[in-house]
Amino acid sequence: MLVYPSSIDLSSRTLRFLTGQLTARRQKIGTRWRRLPAARQALLALAHLRCGDTYAQLAAGFDIGIATVYRYIREAVEALAALAPSLAEAMKTIRTKAFVILDGTLLPIDRIAADTPYYSGKHKRHGMNVQVLTDPFGRLLWASPALPGSTHDLTAARQHGIIEAPADAELKCWADKAYQGAGGPVRVPFRGHRLKRWKRRHNTTHAKIRCPGERAMATIKGWRLPRKLRRSTNRITDVVRPSSSFTTHQREVGKGSIALANRQTLEGPHHG
């Protein structure tokens, strides 16, 4: 098999972050030796999650067995999934926002016609339903556990407790027509084809407010693996959560950088 150099469209900060998590995990379980160091394992996992490289391709490229590749990737995914915030934890950040955007997406899976619970009548394909909350700028705040694709968006939102959470925080939540009847703080557009002019204007404004939420969908689907999932439906939630973990990490790093810059500004220049 031929091997060639390639690249991943991720920053070195992402690699260092995952390397740190894997190093801590190894120390926790008392690992003495591994075929690959933590940094190489992190690179392997990112190549699979971001680029969709197969186990066989990664095994050849990293000169290890396919079973070892499987174990390394599963360990990395579990480490990242454990860092993803729960809805209650995400609400601590959400409470500081002016409003949130709620949307749902279907992650395609390879299932046969007999798997009715996973078939989405809306999208005409098998998949898993994932609900997403973003800030007004479209930055991902929280991604829900995956539910069978036949689950309606409103049903999924209620099942995850998304409708009640913004209400308790007295926060407005903007969503599309799929969430008609949610009530409470959820704002949805008017339905119908022959709407009055003021209702059409309202819907146009509503769409402008909601459109940044598509950036969060792009964040999730920017990882090649969720575009076509070929694994047990019980493990799909763990595949979605790494994007939340990386986004949360980037947000915390950004806050740290801003705090450092503000402190340096307040302290002023130092003269020797």
Side-chain angles (χ1 to χ4, degrees), residues 229-269:
L229 294 161
R230 297 178 174 87
R231 59 185 59 222
S232 169
T233 54
N234 295 326
R235 295 185 54 213
I236 289 179
T237 296
D238 286 348
V239 174
V240 176
R241 283 179 172 171
S243 57
S244 297
S245 301
F246 285 125
T247 303
T248 301
H249 169 67
Q250 292 170 355
R251 187 165 56 245
E252 293 301 323
V253 170
K255 288 180 180 178
S257 300
I258 293 173
L260 177 61
N262 289 341
R263 186 167 67 250
Q264 291 175 341
T265 301
L266 292 173
E267 291 175 353

Side-chain angles (χ1 to χ4, degrees), residues 1 17 19 23 48 50 57 108 124 149 169 175 204 212 220 267 271:
M1 182 178 289
F17 169 68
T19 300
T23 300
H48 178 67
R50 187 70 174 183
Q57 290 172 330
K124 308 300 181 184
T204 300
I220 294 176
E267 291 175 353
H271 301 284

